[in-house]
Amino acid sequence: MHAMIAPSTADAPATLDWMAQQDAPDRHVCRLQGAWNAQGLAREPNTRLPAGTRHITLDASATTLDTGGALLLVRSMAQWQSAGATVDASGLSPPQQQLLDLVRQRALALPPAARRLGLLGDIGRATLTALDELRALLAFVGELVWRGAPLLLQPWRVRWREVIHEIDAAGLRAIGIIGLLSFLIGMVMAYQAGATLATYGANILIVNLVSIITLRELGPLLTAILVAGRTGSSYTAQIGTMRITEEVDALRALGLSPFEMLVLPKVIALVITLPLLALFADVMGLAGGGVVAAVGYGVPLSEYTARIPQVVGLQTLVLGLVKAPVFAVVIALVGCMQGLRVSGSAAAVGRATTVSVVQAIFLVIVIDASFSVLYNLLHL
């Protein structure tokens, strides 16, 4: 819809007629010719500033000006002024000046178009985003300590019924998939190790490789990744949906802390569940390796089982399981944090769930690598 501000003229193409003053060559009168409306602006006029122009006087007495023409004129004036010229718009009629002021206000209120910053800009933006996410996670950890520490002295305040429900959802219902995948990966490790060791007649060393890798690294790491994809995403979806339906706001209105009601039970349940699942994954991984060693490489199950305590001790098992509670806290906090940050439509829940899974798995791998470096420095 266009607002017409002058009597209609012929729909001639819009043009600019520059006329230099004889006594001052750096001063130009800029006459708007033709129709500065939708028809006349079918081909945009050349608005390039004549060389050496320092002062411009606008004259639009012989043209038709609508909102489209006014917007083009506003942008042209901004370009001229950025080039160092001054613009005198006193030659416009009062209605034209009012339209120009209105369009200028609306144009300035529009957000600037996103500008491509190039590769370095993209890297910088990604770095700032990652630092902001890290800051938010650390703040969430601080809130966990601040609100969770007093509950150690007041355990009756913990919603144990909700904790048990979360243990069932995150632990018992995940046993099948974790056990199956751990068993299969144990088989894969045994096959890959046996293919090389068999050429040297060292089939018995399959036990060494499978048991050390499974107990120290693979069991807890695989469990954490599966829990991050299965349970962490469900935390984000559940709390995110509660945010969309304003249930979280309702808890605050009732004077209840969403952190204590929603986040703490999930953290406690996952801290209890993940080490147990990691231990189960260790057992299934060793079982998968034992089956392949017995069937494919002639290592009896009895000898396989008897050699495990000789190769790995309690320390190896503890070094692997000690990571599990740390993984559990990170997965639960990331899932809940992303859920509480959901806003807008239901599509935001899907985006937050994706971010939650990616962040949780990334942090789990980073933490596992940090533990490996720490163990190496401590000669463990």
Side-chain angles (χ1 to χ4, degrees):
M1 179 177 180
H2 301 282
M4 305 301 296
I5 302 298
S8 179
T9 63
D11 294 333
T15 58
L16 289 177
D17 183 17
W18 298 92
M19 181 178 295
Q21 298 184 10
Q22 295 181 354
D23 55 343
D26 61 341
R27 304 174 68 89
H28 281 74
V29 176
C30 178
R31 289 191 174 91
L32 279 63
Q33 302 288 343
W36 283 61
N37 54 22
Q39 290 77 18
L41 292 173
R43 292 185 60 184
E44 187 170 317
N46 182 12
T47 59
R48 185 174 57 183
L49 190 66
T53 303
R54 290 294 176 263
H55 183 80
I56 302 169
T57 302
L58 290 177
D59 180 5
S61 59
T63 189
T64 300
L65 186 67
D66 70 356
T67 51
L71 180 59
L72 176 60
L73 185 57
V74 166
R75 292 175 176 172
S76 302
M77 291 169 62
Q79 293 175 356
W80 299 336
Q81 290 172 344
S82 64
T86 60
V87 181
D88 180 10
S90 60
L92 302 180
S93 65
Q96 288 174 336
Q97 290 184 355
Q98 293 176 7
L99 179 60
L100 209 64
D101 293 339
L102 179 63
V103 170
R104 184 182 291 109
Q105 293 173 4
R106 295 295 185 268
L108 293 177
L110 293 175
R115 187 165 59 93
R116 181 71 178 176
L117 299 179
L119 179 61
L120 291 179
D122 291 341
I123 294 174
R125 184 184 293 109
T127 302
L128 292 176
T129 302
L131 291 176
D132 184 64
E133 291 291 328
L134 179 61
R135 179 199 59 79
L137 180 61
L138 292 178
F140 219 60
V141 172
E143 188 171 2
L144 173 65
V145 175
W146 177 53
R147 294 184 181 274
L151 295 181
L152 298 178
L153 303 177
Q154 301 173 322
W156 59 87
R157 291 179 51 193
V158 178
R159 302 176 66 226
W160 292 110
R161 179 176 297 179
E162 184 66 23
V163 171
I164 294 173
H165 171 73
E166 296 294 344
I167 290 176
D168 173 67
L172 294 178
R173 300 183 186 181
I175 285 179
I177 184 66
I178 289 176
L180 176 61
L181 290 181
S182 299
F183 185 85
L184 294 176
I185 290 181
M187 293 179 63
V188 171
M189 283 194 300
Y191 270 122
Q192 298 301 320
T196 301
L197 295 174
T199 60
Y200 300 98
N203 295 7
I204 192 63
L205 295 181
I206 294 176
V207 185
N208 299 49
L209 187 142
V210 172
S211 57
I212 292 175
I213 293 179
T214 300
L215 297 183
R216 193 180 179 101
E217 294 292 340
L218 198 59
L221 181 61
L222 176 64
T223 304
I225 290 175
L226 291 175
V227 169
R230 181 185 180 277
T231 306
S233 60
S234 69
Y235 289 171
T236 303
Q238 176 188 352
I239 297 178
T241 303
M242 294 179 68
R243 281 276 298 170
I244 296 298
T245 58
E246 299 183 350
E247 294 179 60
V248 175
D249 296 332
L251 289 176
R252 292 193 178 99
L254 293 173
L256 301 175
S257 169
F259 199 93
E260 292 186 12
M261 298 290 293
L262 301 175
V263 178
L264 284 179
K266 291 177 171 55
V267 174
I268 295 173
L270 213 56
V271 168
I272 296 172
T273 302
L274 195 56
L276 298 177
L277 289 176
L279 182 60
F280 179 68
D282 290 342
V283 174
M284 295 303 295
L286 293 176
V291 170
V292 172
V295 175
Y297 298 100
V299 180
L301 283 177
S302 58
E303 187 175 354
Y304 181 92
T305 306
R307 188 174 175 82
I308 291 177
Q310 302 173 12
V311 175
V312 294
L314 182 62
Q315 180 184 9
T316 304
L317 178 63
V318 171
L319 290 178
L321 293 180
V322 76
K323 308 174 188 177
V326 181
F327 294 158
V329 171
V330 170
I331 293 169
L333 288 184
V334 169
C336 295
M337 180 186 72
Q338 294 298 336
L340 289 172
R341 295 169 71 179
V342 169
S343 61
S345 64
V349 178
R351 290 192 295 269
T353 303
T354 302
V355 172
S356 169
V357 173
V358 172
Q359 285 187 355
I361 293 177
F362 173 79
L363 290 174
V364 163
I365 295 175
V366 169
I367 293 172
D368 184 71
S370 302
F371 268 107
S372 298
V373 173
L374 178 63
Y375 290 164
N376 184 61
L377 293 176
L378 297 178
H379 304 288
L380 295 176

